[in-house]
Amino acid sequence: MQNYPDGVNMMANTLMYGWGVPFTPITLLFGPTVTFVSALTFGLSGTAFAWYWVVSRELVTSKFAAAVGGVFCGFAPAMIAHTNGHANFVVLVLLPLIALQVIKMARHAENAVGTRPVWQPRAALVLGLLVAVQLTLGEEPLLIFALGFAVFALAYVRTPRAIALTLRTAGPSILLAALITLTLTGFGLWWQFAGPQSYRFIGIGRVGNDILSLFQFSPESAGSMFSFGPDVSINPTEDNTYFGWPLLLLVAVAAYFLRRERIVRAAGIVIVVFTALSLGIVLSFDGVVRFGDGDFAMVPMPWLAFGWIPPLNGIIESRFAMVAIPAIAIILALGTQRAIDSRRTSATMRRPAAWFGALTLALLPIAPTMVPVTERPRRPRSSRTALCASMSRTARW
């Protein structure tokens, strides 16, 4: 009944068939609300646990430090905001697993003798399947995460020689994984981008973050009562920054003291780059793009150089800020680990106490509040349904 008689291209919409198809019996028995809430519940808790699992195995030894990073990734203000309607940006469980698989493949290739390509067919199969499933859960978060992970990897590896060596040894296996993914999803992707009723761009107005939103608290955070300035959010589902000034201050101080850690420097680069990209094509402050007294000054931003390239032109650039969430989690987890180690080895408790106090003051204001629930009114009976019921009663009479 949509766009009759041609219909619509469902592949060109945010259809989560990786969740909707398996949950079809639940939807038919209990309604779409149960399926939707199940996706939100699994997405928030599952994403938090997946990041905890990765951080605890690759970054820190303390489970508490890993939990700090995992909980922040799963329940950051952006994640809670997207529960208002964007389940595809909530069910992000597979993204940390994809990153972990790529890291393992690169590490295995790096440890191999020589510089020849190291084929890892089993690892490539796992990676290809993970990416294929993620494509059925959310393409846009996968694309944004892939861009963020690529920048992180380049910043971590650093030297051109090391980058070339990694690409030479691990690249063929990663390309094999990409081939497996395309084999499983190629037809659907073709239908999405080149099939009937497909499209290349939809203008959706201002979709960049306002600078003020970086320091404010989300309306769905515990510290919303202490927020300042006007509400500069695009809409209630796109509070993709709203980290709050205490957390940004803590991250900046922690990054300075941990600057010798290569992974912290890479995380800092990711935070800066993708926060800048999330500001859109022009700079906005306090809800407007006006600077000076009466002078209309358009300040171009980095995304202006990339936002016209398909399929990047379909990304809502505000969501680039979500790449900063795991990068911030890395710094928080490492800072917590250092504080725990200092507590065990040092006679003084000043530094650990200062860290945990600052961590509490930074995270409590962005703690999520209860998501509002609104009862949806019953759908009125259509005239056709009423006519059929009337005819049925007449026939029985």
Side-chain angles (χ1 to χ4, degrees), residues 217-218 221-228:
F217 301 110
S218 168
S221 296
S224 60
M225 64 184 70
F226 303 108
S227 199
F228 57 89

Side-chain angles (χ1 to χ4, degrees), residues 24-289:
T24 297
I26 302 298
T27 304
L28 293 176
L29 288 173
F30 304 106
T33 301
V34 175
T35 299
F36 183 71
V37 172
S38 300
L40 301 184
T41 305
F42 174 78
L44 294 174
S45 58
T47 301
F49 181 79
W51 277 111
Y52 159 80
W53 192 77
V54 171
V55 171
S56 64
R57 280 155 179 77
E58 293 291 325
L59 191 61
V60 297
T61 57
S62 167
K63 292 184 178 180
F64 179 77
V68 169
V71 170
F72 178 75
C73 287
F75 297 92
M79 296 287 290
I80 301 302
H82 283 290
T83 61
N84 289 304
H86 300 156
N88 57 319
F89 270 87
V90 177
V91 185
L92 307 180
V93 181
L94 296 182
L95 296 184
L97 304 182
I98 292 172
L100 180 61
Q101 188 67 15
V102 173
I103 292 172
K104 286 182 176 180
M105 293 171 67
R107 183 181 298 142
H108 179 77
E110 182 181 350
N111 294 334
V113 179
T115 60
R116 301 180 63 181
V118 179
W119 290 98
Q120 306 173 63
R122 182 177 300 179
L125 176 62
V126 173
L127 179 60
L129 291 175
L130 286 173
V131 175
V133 175
Q134 177 59 46
L135 280 170
T136 69
L137 295 173
E139 295 179 5
E140 189 177 354
L142 175 62
L143 176 58
I144 293 174
F145 181 78
L147 295 173
F149 187 75
V151 172
F152 175 83
L154 292 174
Y156 183 81
V157 178
R158 295 184 300 177
T159 65
R161 181 178 180 183
I163 294 172
L165 179 62
T166 302
L167 292 176
R168 188 183 305 120
T169 55
S173 294
I174 294 177
L175 289 177
L176 177 60
L179 181 61
I180 294 172
T181 299
L182 286 176
T183 302
L184 296 173
T185 62
F187 178 75
L189 293 174
W190 172 84
W191 192 275
Q192 172 181 350
F193 291 104
Q197 307 296 330
S198 60
Y199 53 88
R200 298 200 174 186
F201 178 72
I202 294 181
I204 48 181
R206 185 181 73 87
V207 288
N209 288 321
D210 191 281
I211 287 184
L212 200 60
S213 68
L214 297 171
F215 308 96
Q216 289 183 330
F217 301 110
S218 168
E220 294 172 339
S221 296
S224 60
M225 64 184 70
F226 303 108
S227 199
F228 57 89
D231 183 10
V232 293
S233 174
I234 299 172
N235 59 62
T237 65
E238 299 293 345
D239 294 340
N240 295 307
T241 47
Y242 288 87
F243 298 118
W245 64 266
L247 177 61
L248 293 182
L249 180 61
L250 176 63
V251 169
V253 173
Y256 174 77
F257 283 103
L258 297 172
R259 63 188 182 277
R260 295 184 181 275
E261 298 279 351
R262 186 164 54 159
I263 192 171
V264 172
R265 294 198 298 270
I269 291 173
V270 168
I271 293 171
V272 172
V273 168
F274 282 88
T275 300
L277 291 178
S278 76
L279 298 178
I281 59 176
V282 292
L283 192 63
S284 172
F285 180 77
D286 202 20
V288 295
V289 291

Side-chain angles (χ1 to χ4, degrees), residues 386-397:
L387 177 62
C388 291
S390 175
M391 292 176 63
S392 177
R393 286 194 299 269
T394 303
R396 287 198 301 271
W397 180 82

